[in-house]
Amino acid sequence: MVRKGSYFLGLTILVVLVSSGFNSIETKEVRGFYLTENEVVSYHVPSEDENEIEDETVVIGNAVPYVGRTFAGFKQAIAFKESRGILNMVNSYGYMGKYQFGKTALRCVGVYDFQEFLRNADWQEKAFKALLSINKWELRKEIKKYNGKVINGVKITESGILAAAHLGGAGSVKKYLRSNGRNGFKDGFGTSLKSYLKKFGGYDVSHVPANRNAKVKLS
């Protein structure tokens, strides 16, 4: 999601370099966020049955499991980029959760209790999947037409397209692709669609259904 502004420029989250089998992550500074409660990071990793996903919750400073170019890896990468995977993070413009949803997007997928959303890891996962399904339906023609092509030096992939839609919306992605990269988009921090197309390209999101009416089934 688009993240704008910065109220708390001094907020710094330290992530240690980790050993073999995990990502080496540089120490980074997170701008424009505040925490509503204690810091909690929630990731989802494959179980022994590759068709199932197990939850794994870690705290800042611990190792974040690396799960490759799987769908679990895609979610992990998006979450880390958006919020460092912090479940209850809210930015200065109100975007919330580990995937940084705006209230309009949450209402679109059937979530109206925003405080519970910040506490509920299951709701956040379901909301992310529902929005992916909606964006996949909105961008189904673009995925078919542009997948595998190179625009502005970046190979276009289905996962890159869906990630870019998460950043700037499906409409912005359509404009970018149809203009051959001339009509770009950047969020309030200067993050571009091109960077998301590149950074999140090549993940396996093939099983995500295209559904214009996807909703979160709350439990």
Side-chain angles (χ1 to χ4, degrees):
M1 279 298 158
V2 182
R3 299 160 303 181
K4 300 179 180 178
S6 179
Y7 286 170
F8 299 87
L9 299 180
L11 180 62
T12 302
I13 297 177
L14 297 180
V15 182
V16 298
L17 295 177
V18 296
S19 61
S20 177
F22 292 81
N23 275 331
S24 282
I25 303 170
E26 295 179 357
T27 298
K28 292 180 179 295
E29 184 178 32
V30 181
R31 297 181 181 274
F33 295 104
Y34 62 89
L35 298 178
T36 58
E37 300 173 16
N38 293 329
E39 299 173 0
V40 178
V41 181
S42 179
Y43 285 100
H44 295 257
V45 299
S47 66
E48 292 181 1
D49 179 351
E50 293 183 356
N51 294 319
E52 296 180 359
I53 298 297
E54 295 178 345
D55 294 341
E56 178 158 324
T57 301
V58 296
V59 295
I60 293 300
N62 285 358
V64 175
Y66 177 68
V67 289
R69 294 283 169 173
T70 63
F71 181 61
F74 177 72
K75 292 194 301 174
Q76 181 194 98
I78 291 285
F80 187 80
K81 175 63 176 177
E82 291 292 320
S83 70
R84 300 303 182 264
I86 300 173
L87 201 68
N88 54 359
M89 184 172 278
V90 182
N91 80 0
S92 54
Y93 277 76
Y95 289 92
M96 61 186 70
K98 65 187 286 188
Y99 300 110
Q100 292 294 279
F101 277 83
K103 292 182 178 179
T104 298
L106 287 175
R107 293 187 184 102
C108 181
V109 298
V111 176
Y112 297 90
D113 186 339
F114 306 130
Q115 292 303 313
E116 177 60 25
F117 176 79
L118 283 173
R119 294 189 291 265
N120 197 313
D122 184 56
W123 282 20
Q124 294 195 27
E125 293 305 315
K126 289 177 178 178
F128 182 67
K129 291 176 184 177
L131 187 61
L132 282 179
S133 289
I134 292 171
N135 283 333
K136 191 168 184 176
W137 187 88
E138 292 284 348
L139 293 161
R140 64 197 185 282
K141 294 180 181 178
E142 284 71 27
I143 291 171
K144 182 177 180 180
K145 181 176 180 179
Y146 295 100
N147 189 38
K149 293 187 177 181
V150 176
I151 296 178
N152 283 342
V154 176
K155 184 178 180 180
I156 305 302
T157 66
E158 182 179 29
S159 62
I161 287 175
L162 293 180
H166 190 77
L167 174 73
S172 294
V173 176
K174 289 179 180 181
K175 291 178 182 178
Y176 181 86
L177 295 175
R178 293 173 182 177
S179 68
N180 199 35
R182 291 186 295 274
N183 193 337
F185 169 89
K186 292 183 178 180
D187 73 359
F189 289 142
T191 305
S192 66
L193 286 183
K194 178 182 176 181
S195 70
Y196 265 49
L197 287 165
K198 180 178 181 179
K199 184 176 183 66
F200 301 108
Y203 287 89
D204 182 7
V205 294
S206 59
H207 73 284
V208 175
N211 182 0
R212 69 183 299 182
N213 298 313
K215 299 290 183 182
V216 173
K217 294 182 179 179
L218 304 180
S219 58

